[in-house]
Amino acid sequence: MSGWDEGGVFYSDQGAGAEEDETLMTKHLAQRKFVDFLKNFREVSADGPTKYLNQLDCEPAPRSLKVSMDDIKAHSEDLHETLRVNPAEYLP
């Protein structure tokens, strides 16, 4: 082997920066909105601590995370509606 297949696992968001139709919720768009929600949702104010990101930054990292649908709705109503109407399509 030439070494190209050695090493760790890498992730690349192939859709980063790509224009997507916001009216059509695809799995990729839902995933991007959910990651944005986890990274940026603040419970109290725009300057307050992130609610879910702080929970994920613990050592050891949690195996699960309980997320409020009300919080998702406050962050993105279309993501909330998509998850509410068709949860089996988007949730494991």
Side-chain angles (χ1 to χ4, degrees):
M1 297 283 169
S2 63
W4 64 268
D5 59 342
E6 295 177 13
V9 176
F10 300 95
Y11 171 77
S12 173
D13 187 2
Q14 298 296 319
E19 294 296 321
E20 293 190 31
D21 184 4
E22 293 288 326
T23 61
L24 177 64
M25 182 66 74
T26 62
K27 283 186 180 183
H28 180 72
L29 182 58
Q31 180 183 20
R32 284 183 37 209
K33 285 182 178 245
F34 191 70
V35 168
D36 179 66
F37 163 74
L38 291 176
K39 287 181 177 178
N40 298 311
F41 183 77
R42 286 165 165 65
E43 191 169 26
V44 180
S45 69
D47 296 333
T50 55
K51 181 176 181 178
Y52 297 107
L53 188 60
N54 290 346
Q55 293 178 39
L56 292 172
D57 281 342
C58 296
E59 281 295 327
R63 295 181 53 96
S64 64
L65 179 67
K66 189 179 280 192
V67 175
S68 168
M69 287 295 285
D70 290 334
D71 290 346
I72 293 174
K73 185 176 184 179
H75 185 76
S76 171
E77 288 205 22
D78 56 335
L79 178 60
H80 171 267
E81 187 65 18
T82 298
L83 295 175
R84 188 187 67 77
V85 171
N86 200 357
E89 183 74 23
Y90 296 95
L91 301 174

